[in-house]
Amino acid sequence: MKNISLFSVIALSLVLVGAGCSVTTTGTGSEGGSSATPTGAVEGAWAPGVVTKGSLSSSPVAGTINSVPVTIASVSIEDWGDKFQWKFSDTAPAKTCGFTSKDSSVKFRSAELMEGTFTKQMDTKVDFNEFSAYYVYTKEDGSPNSVNTSWETTIVVTDYTENVSKDAFGKNVGSVEGYVEMTFQDGKTEIAGAFKGDVCEK
């Protein structure tokens, strides 16, 4: 796997700042590893067909974002064509695949979406173009802040179905179900539990 280059981190930071976000980058190394990794999962890559949740929580996904307790009200995945943008947000949009603002969320990007398991430990390096994660919260002045730091996760997708409904603009929407556990190196953000979400197809 390729290491995340300083150029890639800077490029992502510039994109987020250009969108009105400030960016915090913290340390990039830590010992760690999830004890909930399902048997058969492949470290740092999707394992197709591995859908046993292991010891992952069956409770609705919740946790903390920037040290504030949250319940995840919305899970959505946007198909960008070359990757999938996951969003675990404490605020539900007014409409399916709608936009939310001033919410707190955990975001994950993956080059693929499939029924199976993706797992990554804190010190594992992955290709930044294929997998990345960060979290966003609203500061006291009302502006969003994005935090980029080392992360670890286990995501088990037990069901993924395309084209099950339409959004307000007539675009196809899929459905996804599974389990997630994600922790960030700074100790301020982690989520875990079962989820159901919309896949906003391109």
Side-chain angles (χ1 to χ4, degrees):
M1 294 290 183
K2 298 178 182 176
N3 290 333
I4 298 174
S5 68
L6 179 59
F7 175 79
S8 296
V9 173
I10 292 172
L12 175 62
S13 299
L14 289 174
V15 169
L16 292 169
V17 170
C21 295
S22 56
V23 179
T24 302
T25 303
T26 66
T28 57
S30 173
E31 294 181 358
S34 171
S35 61
T37 302
T39 302
V42 179
E43 238 277 292
W46 278 106
V50 178
V51 295
T52 303
K53 74 180 186 70
S55 60
L56 293 174
S57 174
S58 295
S59 299
V61 61
T64 60
I65 297 178
N66 195 44
S67 300
V68 176
V70 296
T71 297
I72 299 303
S74 171
V75 178
S76 63
I77 303 173
E78 289 188 60
D79 183 354
W80 287 3
D82 61 339
K83 62 179 59 69
F84 293 88
Q85 167 76 57
W86 304 54
K87 183 177 183 181
F88 297 87
S89 175
D90 68 349
T91 303
K95 298 178 180 180
T96 301
C97 295
F99 180 77
T100 56
S101 63
K102 296 188 177 180
D103 58 332
S104 294
S105 62
V106 170
K107 297 189 177 184
F108 171 66
R109 290 177 182 162
S110 62
E112 298 177 278
L113 173 60
M114 66 182 70
E115 292 180 4
T117 294
F118 174 78
T119 184
K120 173 194 174 297
Q121 295 187 12
M122 194 73 73
D123 56 358
T124 299
K125 303 300 181 184
V126 291
D127 187 333
F128 186 76
N129 293 315
E130 294 187 5
F131 302 105
S132 61
Y134 61 100
Y135 66 90
V136 178
Y137 66 93
T138 301
K139 299 191 294 185
E140 291 183 2
D141 64 4
S143 62
N145 187 58
S146 172
V147 180
N148 299 283
T149 185
S150 296
W151 52 280
E152 67 182 21
T153 192
T154 297
I155 298 175
V156 180
V157 176
T158 58
D159 183 78
Y160 169 38
T161 306
E162 297 179 296
N163 191 17
V164 297
S165 63
K166 304 281 187 182
D167 70 6
F169 300 99
K171 290 186 176 181
N172 292 335
V173 179
S175 66
V176 64
E177 295 183 27
Y179 305 87
V180 62
E181 180 179 88
M182 184 174 289
T183 303
F184 289 83
Q185 184 264 342
D186 61 5
K188 295 182 178 181
T189 296
E190 66 176 326
I191 58 172
F195 67 86
K196 294 182 180 180
D198 296 314
V199 181
C200 307
E201 299 174 6
K202 61 177 181 169

